[in-house]
């Protein structure tokens, strides 16, 4: 049976992550409160931001810039997309 959580991002009961994303207290908080769908959305957003600003994920600048892993996306108002971002058309 899937791990179910009340997702703080989507405000409803949803399937949770299979395991905590980080080996920390914060990883446990995400595991208990963030759905798999919301986590996947965050990962996609991080990829978009890294590409949009041409950042290398291992650099301190990229890690500080990306935010979200500190909980701002899930446990507060969230972060806005870059003003220059144009969503792809399909």
């Amino acid at each position: 049976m899937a791990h179910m959580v009340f997702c703080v991002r989507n405000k409803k009961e949803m399937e949770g992550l299979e395991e905590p994303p980080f080996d920390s207290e914060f990883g446990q908080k995400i595991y208990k409160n963030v759905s798999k769908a919301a986590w996947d959305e965050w990962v996609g957003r991080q990829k978009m931001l890294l590409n949009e600003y041409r950042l290398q994920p291992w650099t301190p600048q990229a890690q500080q810039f990306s935010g979200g892993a500190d909980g701002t996306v899930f446990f507060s108002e969230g972060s806005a997309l870059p003003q220059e971002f144009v969503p792809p058309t399909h």
Side-chain angles (χ1 to χ4, degrees):
M1 185 170 169
H3 166 70
M4 301 299 287
V5 299
F6 185 82
C7 181
V8 296
R9 178 94 169 142
N10 295 305
K11 307 292 188 234
K12 62 182 178 179
E13 187 88 10
M14 299 177 74
E15 182 180 351
L17 297 171
E18 293 179 18
E19 60 185 33
F22 310 113
D23 189 23
S24 66
E25 186 176 318
F26 183 64
Q28 285 295 322
K29 185 175 180 181
I30 290 173
Y31 179 72
K32 293 176 182 176
N33 297 286
V34 177
S35 69
K36 184 177 181 180
W39 181 257
D40 290 344
E41 180 184 325
W42 179 80
V43 169
R45 179 181 216 148
Q46 294 311 301
K47 288 178 187 176
M48 182 273 301
L49 289 170
L50 290 169
N51 289 331
E52 190 73 21
Y53 289 106
R54 294 172 174 70
L55 298 171
Q56 304 301 323
W58 55 85
T59 64
Q61 178 193 15
Q63 292 170 8
Q64 182 180 14
F65 174 82
S66 68
D70 61 359
T72 57
V73 170
F74 301 119
F75 303 109
S76 68
E77 294 299 315
S79 57
L81 292 172
Q83 290 180 335
E84 304 86 7
F85 176 70
V86 177
T89 56
H90 296 273

